């Protein structure tokens, strides 16, 4: 029985079928989770990355066993480093708001490649554990992360402010309403010369919801648009 299970970790036809199904399943489920949130990489991308990594690692095992190549993990190492160009494409920078998004998707894609390598080498236990861990982090722990962010007294605001209004009014408002300005970035809008874009990092001196904070700042004369950014 032990020999049978060991064969399923190798490069027999049964082992390759198991590896292919498991890699497609892991990549597909992780991709569905990202796709549901309208992230740049979704169902098919994750499946291809995980499956491709599995193929690379299984091929490396074949080459090592039958062609007497001395390094059994060389191709796998190239996948770990090479997947970076795909991950880099997932990261989107909004220069206007000094905001970066897609980092979690890029990290998930890199992890999917690593899970594919684990499947390819026959380390099924770690592949399944890693698969469940990624699902836990991306799905269930997001609720905890959102709660921690919304309960924090620190908030980052993106504000579109009339250019003819003095910035000092915002500073005075923050002082009068128990806000500490931790950082302030001011830019002239390229689309509308009458608008100045301001990014404020604030700490509230009293406990209040982020919705209340946004609502209070929205009432300031000259504020045309305001939203919370990460």
């Amino acid at each position: 029985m032990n020999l049978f299970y060991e064969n399923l970790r190798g490069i027999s036809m049964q082992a390759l079928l198991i590896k292919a199904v498991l890699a497609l399943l892991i990549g597909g489920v992780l991709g569905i989770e990202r796709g549901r949130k309208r992230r740049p990489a979704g169902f098919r991308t994750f499946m291809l990355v995980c499956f491709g990594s599995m193929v690379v690692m299984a091929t490396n095992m074949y080459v090592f066993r039958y062609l007497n190549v001395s390094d059994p993990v060389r191709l796998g190492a190239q996948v770990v480093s090479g997947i970076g160009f795909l991950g880099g494409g997932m990261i989107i920078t909004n220069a206007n708001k000094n905001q970066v998004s897609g980092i979690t998707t890029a990290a998930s894609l890199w992890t999917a490649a690593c899970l594919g390598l684990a499947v390819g080498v026959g380390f099924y236990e770690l592949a399944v554990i890693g698969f469940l861990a990624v699902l836990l982090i991306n799905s269930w722990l997001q609720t905890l992360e959102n709660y921690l962010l919304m309960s924090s007294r620190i908030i980052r605001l993106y504000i579109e402010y009339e250019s003819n209004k003095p910035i000092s009014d915002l500073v005075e408002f923050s002082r009068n309403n128990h806000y500490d300005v931790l950082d302030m970035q001011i830019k002239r809008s390229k689309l509308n010369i009458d608008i100045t874009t301001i990014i404020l990092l604030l700490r509230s001196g009293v406990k209040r919801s982020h919705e209340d904070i946004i609502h209070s700042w929205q009432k300031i004369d000259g504020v045309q648009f305001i939203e919370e950014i990460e």
Side-chain angles (χ1 to χ4, degrees):
M1 185 64 70
N2 289 335
L3 180 61
F4 173 75
Y5 285 121
E6 288 302 317
N7 288 335
L8 293 183
R9 299 177 188 272
I11 53 176
S12 65
M13 182 57 69
Q14 297 94 327
L16 291 176
L17 286 174
I18 291 174
K19 291 177 180 182
V21 171
L22 185 57
L24 291 172
L25 179 64
I26 289 175
V29 174
L30 294 181
I32 288 173
E33 186 277 328
R34 290 284 89 188
R36 285 176 59 248
K37 298 176 180 177
R38 300 294 188 269
R39 296 301 186 258
F43 180 62
R44 292 183 300 162
T45 302
F46 273 79
M47 286 184 74
L48 288 171
V49 166
C50 194
F51 181 77
S53 300
M54 181 279 298
V55 171
V56 167
M57 202 63 207
T59 302
N60 206 154
M61 290 177 62
Y62 178 88
V63 171
F64 174 72
R65 180 172 298 182
Y66 293 107
L67 300 182
N68 298 319
V69 175
S70 60
D71 189 350
V73 294
R74 177 176 296 177
L75 293 180
Q78 298 305 314
V79 171
V80 172
S81 58
I83 197 65
F85 86 94
L86 273 180
M90 302 299 106
I91 300 175
I92 301 172
T93 302
N94 187 329
N96 192 38
K97 297 182 181 180
N98 284 359
Q99 188 176 18
V100 179
S101 60
I103 296 178
T104 300
T105 300
S108 300
L109 195 64
W110 182 83
T111 306
C114 295
L115 294 177
L117 294 176
V119 173
V121 80
F123 199 176
Y124 302 132
E125 296 87 347
L126 180 60
V128 172
I129 292 172
F131 164 64
L132 296 175
V134 174
L135 274 185
L136 172 67
I137 293 169
N138 284 346
S139 298
W140 303 314
L141 290 188
Q142 185 178 14
T143 303
L144 175 61
E145 182 182 32
N146 291 338
Y147 170 77
L148 293 176
L149 288 174
M150 295 307 295
S151 61
S152 172
R153 293 193 180 186
I154 297 178
I155 184 173
R156 189 184 301 272
L157 297 177
Y158 169 80
I159 300 174
E160 293 183 357
Y161 192 62
E162 293 180 10
S163 298
N164 59 351
K165 300 291 184 180
I167 302 297
S168 58
D169 287 353
L170 299 178
V171 178
E172 183 178 356
F173 176 85
S174 66
R175 290 174 179 171
N176 294 337
N177 291 272
H178 308 289
Y179 291 104
D180 295 325
V181 179
L182 304 179
D183 186 42
M184 176 185 289
Q185 300 177 40
I186 304 172
K187 297 180 181 179
R188 290 287 184 181
S189 174
K190 297 180 180 179
L191 301 177
N192 188 347
I193 60 174
D194 296 325
I195 293 296
T196 298
T197 62
I198 302 171
I199 298 175
L200 279 177
L201 182 62
L202 301 173
R203 180 193 290 120
S204 176
V206 297
K207 188 172 181 59
R208 44 194 154 192
S209 71
H210 287 199
E211 290 183 359
D212 289 341
I213 294 175
I214 293 173
H215 186 67
S216 64
W217 281 79
Q218 201 167 23
K219 294 180 178 180
I220 301 175
D221 185 31
V223 173
Q224 297 296 307
F225 176 79
I226 183 171
E227 68 174 347
E228 180 181 1
I229 58 176
E230 297 179 358

